[in-house]
Amino acid sequence: MIQEIDKYLEEVKSFETKDLKELENFRIKFLGKKGILNQLFAEFKNVPNEEKKLFGQKINQLKQVATGKVQSIKENLENNLEEQGSQLDLSRPGYPVEIGSRHPISIVKNQIIEIFKNIGFNVSEGPEIEDDWHNFTALNLPEYHPARDMQDTFFLQQNPDWLLRTHTSSVQTRYMETHQPPIRTISPGRVYRNEDISARSHCIFHQVEGLYIDKGVSFADLKQTLLYFTKEMFGKSKIRLRPSYFPFTEPSAEVDIYWGLETETDKRITKGTGWLEIMGAGMVDPNVLQNMNIDPEEYTGFAFGMGIERIAMLLYQIQDIRMFYENDMRFLSQFKPII
Ligand code: DAH
């Protein structure tokens, strides 16, 4: 009996084929329902007790070797066939490719760009490592101007004339350097401030700057442009401009939108007033135009600047600004897929 199994073992070990059909016959012969192995297992009860242990080991070995053999020949043959392309199965499911999603900051940024593009604004960019002139001085913020303290600045150690831009208003000055009016541009980008990180503020965030310079641009144009933007962006059609101060605009305003007081969330985020501040704006200060060699007697303009995180937090009801930078897939995958 044992000898018989050894003989089968030899047969199985030396079996080779390049034909799937032959392989199937081999499988049925050894591993099929009425195959050799099942017959041997059935034989087990008739084996004398002292031989049972060895017999058991042998048939288990035979089973293992036969199963392994079938498997490996099958894989080999299939791989070969697939390489040759003769058995390419186009109906097989594809490899799972996960569809990504846009980062919420990108979604909101693109939306803002789209809205302003529709009224003739182009998109411009500037460097994140900026010099003092473009970030401060040219924007009517000369050295020792107290308003410089409004924005805690990261200076570069090697050269204190260089800094990480504190706002995208620096792109205004870069743009005016190389372009003559009429100017209609928006500048999205990353900005840096030396601030403690909390749920409300971060040392890195994003802004979009807007600049419009031409003959006869008035405060009414600014107001109408912002109203158009808030309607498109938030579907809200009531805004108010509160007098404020920015060194680069005169007059300056803070822009609020009327968010409403319908839900508990509305009440919470507007602190019970219904109003939400969304950006700073104003008429470009004549000093800024002069600094950039644009004649303030001939041209006027308006500018505005807003934080993208703030808008994304409002639109998606995100409570903690740090979520944007933590690369947590559970957070990021909630935003709409690209397609
Ligand atoms: N740069 C300002 C800030 O970062 C935002 C701003 C306010 C930009 C008024 C403007 C403006 O262009 O006119 O706080």
Side-chain angles (χ1 to χ4, degrees):
M1 205 53 144
I2 301 284
Q3 275 166 6
E4 200 183 334
I5 301 178
D6 281 339
K7 236 174 59 207
Y8 286 138
L9 252 174
E10 280 314 305
E11 183 183 340
V12 170
K13 279 182 185 164
S14 59
F15 178 76
E16 276 308 332
T17 180
K18 292 207 180 327
D19 182 40
L20 277 172
K21 219 165 186 132
E22 212 175 303
L23 179 68
E24 181 61 5
N25 289 339
F26 171 82
R27 190 191 67 78
I28 294 169
K29 178 175 169 190
F30 282 94
L31 298 162
K33 236 185 184 162
K34 294 184 182 150
I36 291 169
L37 266 153
N38 276 347
Q39 286 170 24
L40 288 170
F41 277 118
E43 207 72 46
F44 191 73
K45 56 181 189 298
N46 305 325
V47 174
N49 272 349
E50 60 278 15
E51 276 181 36
K52 268 203 160 79
K53 190 174 166 199
L54 185 61
F55 185 85
Q57 281 172 353
K58 286 276 175 193
I59 47 175
N60 276 322
Q61 190 191 358
L62 180 63
K63 185 176 176 186
Q64 243 177 23
V65 176
T67 316
K69 191 80 179 186
V70 171
Q71 187 99 23
S72 76
I73 294 180
K74 193 168 176 215
E75 269 170 25
N76 255 332
L77 286 178
E78 276 175 356
N79 282 348
N80 283 345
L81 287 171
E82 209 159 298
E83 268 164 31
Q84 291 160 14
S86 59
Q87 275 243 321
L88 190 64
D89 181 357
L90 295 175
S91 67
R92 271 169 69 171
Y95 298 111
V97 178
E98 271 196 41
I99 296 174
S101 53
R102 289 236 187 267
H103 193 285
I105 295 294
S106 300
I107 296 177
V108 172
K109 181 183 83 176
N110 291 342
Q111 231 168 316
I112 298 172
I113 290 175
E114 212 46 48
I115 293 170
F116 282 103
K117 258 190 181 169
N118 288 341
I119 52 168
F121 280 71
N122 68 8
V123 177
S124 53
E125 285 185 343
E128 290 177 24
I129 299 174
E130 193 46 283
D131 55 41
D132 184 285
W133 167 255
H134 292 95
N135 194 80
F136 287 130
T137 307
L139 285 164
N140 206 26
L141 273 154
E143 214 183 337
Y144 304 121
H145 193 293
R148 283 196 178 201
D149 291 346
M150 285 162 79
Q151 304 176 351
D152 291 319
T153 311
F154 284 117
F155 291 96
L156 266 68
Q157 221 170 14
Q158 294 89 332
N159 184 347
D161 190 45
W162 285 359
L163 45 90
L164 299 181
R165 67 178 178 198
T166 54
H167 52 186
T168 42
S169 303
S170 60
V171 189
Q172 275 190 32
T173 48
R174 293 235 164 233
Y175 198 84
M176 284 190 263
E177 234 167 29
T178 48
H179 297 79
Q180 280 299 309
I183 289 173
R184 258 179 296 179
T185 189
I186 54 164
S187 324
R190 208 178 288 156
V191 299
Y192 302 82
R193 297 213 186 150
N194 192 0
E195 276 178 27
D196 290 340
I197 296 171
S198 70
R200 303 255 103 219
S201 72
H202 209 287
C203 56
I204 301 175
F205 57 102
H206 299 75
Q207 287 187 334
V208 175
E209 188 77 13
L211 179 67
Y212 179 24
I213 299 174
D214 203 349
K215 288 180 184 157
V217 177
S218 70
F219 202 86
D221 296 322
L222 168 63
K223 207 172 164 187
Q224 205 56 35
T225 305
L226 296 181
L227 185 61
Y228 156 77
F229 168 72
T230 49
K231 274 186 190 165
E232 294 288 310
M233 190 77 206
F234 304 101
K236 311 271 182 190
S237 49
K238 210 156 101 184
I239 60 172
R240 72 178 180 194
L241 280 77
R242 276 179 295 111
S244 184
Y245 172 75
F246 297 103
F248 26 89
T249 43
E250 181 59 37
S252 303
E254 242 138 355
V255 183
D256 297 343
I257 54 173
Y258 189 70
W259 194 260
L261 279 172
E262 276 155 37
T263 66
E264 281 310 306
T265 313
D266 293 348
K267 285 181 199 153
R268 180 173 48 79
I269 61 175
T270 66
K271 300 201 178 82
T273 66
W275 291 96
L276 272 177
E277 185 196 317
I278 52 157
M279 66 171 103
M283 300 305 291
V284 179
D285 193 298
N287 287 340
V288 175
L289 296 176
Q290 204 125 45
N291 285 338
M292 304 326 293
N293 294 321
I294 293 173
D295 183 1
E297 296 296 325
E298 195 179 352
Y299 292 105
T300 51
F302 64 72
F304 54 87
M306 63 188 121
I308 302 183
E309 278 79 354
R310 177 156 173 77
I311 292 179
M313 286 168 88
L314 285 173
L315 287 175
Y316 295 114
Q317 289 301 310
I318 296 162
Q319 313 274 347
D320 190 328
I321 196 170
R322 291 169 292 199
M323 296 300 290
F324 292 119
Y325 320 111
E326 283 170 0
N327 290 331
D328 184 337
M329 289 303 290
R330 289 168 303 180
F331 170 70
L332 293 176
S333 58
Q334 294 175 62
F335 299 92
K336 280 188 207 117
I338 304 166
I339 49 166

